[in-house]
Amino acid sequence: MLGKLMKYEWKATWKLLVPLNLFIVLMTILAYCTVQMSFFDSNSNLVIMTGIIVMMTYLLSMFVVAVGSVIYLIYRFYTSVYGDEGYLLHTLPVDKHHIIVAKALTSMAWVLMNAVLVYFSFFFLLSTQAQFMEAMTEGFEFYVDVVNGYNDKIGVFGIVMTFVASFFALGARILKISACISLGQLASNHKILSAFGFYYAIYFVQKMFSILYYLILELGMRAANYSYSGYIFTTSWEFTLISSLVYCVIFYILTWYVMDRKLNLD
Amino acid sequence: MGAALRGSRRFRSFIPGTGIEQDRDFRMEERNTVIEMAPIVQCMGLTKTYGGKLALNQIFLNLERGKIVGLLGPNGSGKTTLIKIMNGLLRPTAGDILIAGERPGIGSKYRISYLPERTYLHPGMKVMEMVQYFQDFYPDFKVEKAFDMLHRLQIPPNERLKNLSKGTKEKVQLILVMSRDADLYILDEPIAGVDPASRDYILHTIVSNYNRNATVLLSTHLISDVEGILDEVVFIKYGNIILQADAEQIRQREGKSIDRFFREVFAC
């Protein structure tokens, strides 16, 4: 049933999100043409203005599509789980775990796809600039040097694990939103407002934990006479990975608990 | 049926009145027979409160198989709350409910075909995509039956739901629900949103398409339209079941129609 749920979740979301992402591709091509055709070196103000408008639209489209996709996915979760469509979803003979996993994985796929598209877009556009490529190469070498310089065990492994940690961090963020929307359903009235309340309360607690972790780390480093920046750098993926995994489990359980044990569709 | 009903499983039980544990092998066929014999719906002291407000007050209700039952009551009497609990969309505050001998869950969802009072279909999907959706999730869904009813009601399968009128969307939902070979059909206000001319067709669709061993629970306050098809009626008022009786017996005993009797019972 998980596969079927994912299939229909994908079908329900692609009609809006594919055109949005294609818009990024279109704007990237336009912006690329603007740079390649030296619009900004022109003597004509009209051409320069056109170039500025294209570049601004390009940058704006990145932001609008990224934010718009996330808002749409949140809206989709709310309406399909706790809105009118929830009457169908919750009367399907499927496990609630499958519903949560299907929605989380589909949302993660869209956010990742959007992020990859944005990165490639910037990279494609800036790769035409020699200074950018030099800076990219230096930046990458610097990163590997720093990682290798402070901890011999971490190198390529550290970089890979940083991506893995980022993946779980994304999962934790998506499940956090699911959990907050679900917890908001426990309120008799103002359920959306309650969901925002839960979001900021959880955000505050998470920040407190982060601050506490770095505070303890700082004190530990001072006691051992370690250099501050390097140690933080090499251990950050570990903290992100562990904390993300813990948050994933907590937010998953909260979502499941409300969906399975406290469901109250209006 | 659901995974829980397949295969063979060992159950523990106690010899009644002794507290002595005994092990017995139930074959699934035997267990299924027990389930088939149980009333399709059993409510035992079912209570639901919203905040401090009582919506259902210790309801005891048994619904037998093979009947069309009218769940009748004025607005706010608790009809929809009771139906939502049967479907697992609400959790009772107290008491218990069994659907064919088991609590609402995946197993009961295989048995119940539910038509809610609101539109629950994704507006961006086409009618035929919804047919495919039901076919994918419900093993008892009959595709030919669905397309036949769509054809007879002249609903184009390629049309997107957002382009259909409210009444047509309700007809599509009813077709999807009645195309299943379920044990229990729960229809919440199935004729409220459609024109009087279509009501007869919808009622005909319900009567001619449900499995004869199944039960149809039909909630409505448009009693005069439905009373001709009802075998049994349940009156609900302020969250209490005040009457459960055979429809024909009421007519004979009271000497009046169910609609007339309802108006007298629920007179303001």
Side-chain angles (χ1 to χ4, degrees), chain A residues 227-246:
Chain A
S227 161
Y228 179 83
S229 60
Y231 195 73
I232 289 279
F233 195 68
T234 54
T235 56
S236 61
W237 71 262
E238 292 161 353
F239 175 68
T240 306
L241 182 62
I242 292 166
S243 61
S244 297
L245 282 171
V246 171

Side-chain angles (χ1 to χ4, degrees), chain B residues 136-252:
Chain B
D136 273 353
F137 286 103
Y138 297 109
D140 59 6
F141 187 78
K142 307 281 183 252
V143 184
E144 303 79 24
K145 202 173 177 180
F147 278 115
D148 180 51
M149 281 195 268
L150 286 169
H151 177 69
R152 275 193 277 160
L153 275 171
Q154 296 179 317
I155 298 171
N158 278 316
E159 195 63 78
R160 289 195 190 280
L161 289 153
K162 63 183 172 191
N163 298 331
L164 301 176
S165 68
K166 187 173 180 285
T168 310
K169 276 183 214 162
E170 289 187 6
K171 286 176 193 167
V172 172
Q173 286 192 166
L174 183 72
I175 288 168
L176 293 168
V177 167
M178 295 312 297
S179 296
R180 285 186 58 198
D181 191 13
D183 289 344
L184 174 62
Y185 298 86
I186 300 178
L187 314 175
D188 195 359
E189 301 286 2
I191 55 171
V194 294
D195 57 272
S198 297
R199 284 178 190 170
D200 285 345
Y201 184 83
I202 286 173
L203 292 174
H204 172 74
T205 305
I206 293 167
V207 173
S208 57
N209 285 287
Y210 83 101
N211 166 4
R212 297 295 157 189
N213 294 319
T215 299
V216 179
L217 181 64
L218 208 156
S219 157
T220 186
H221 51 257
L222 298 169
I223 300 162
S224 59
D225 288 301
V226 303
E227 83 161 90
I229 66 165
L230 299 181
D231 298 316
E232 190 176 308
V233 292
V234 175
F235 281 8
I236 183 167
K237 188 177 187 181
Y238 301 128
N240 294 288
I241 302 291
I242 59 168
L243 173 78
Q244 181 180 8
D246 184 88
E248 194 50 42
Q249 280 179 1
I250 291 176
R251 285 190 205 98
Q252 286 181 359

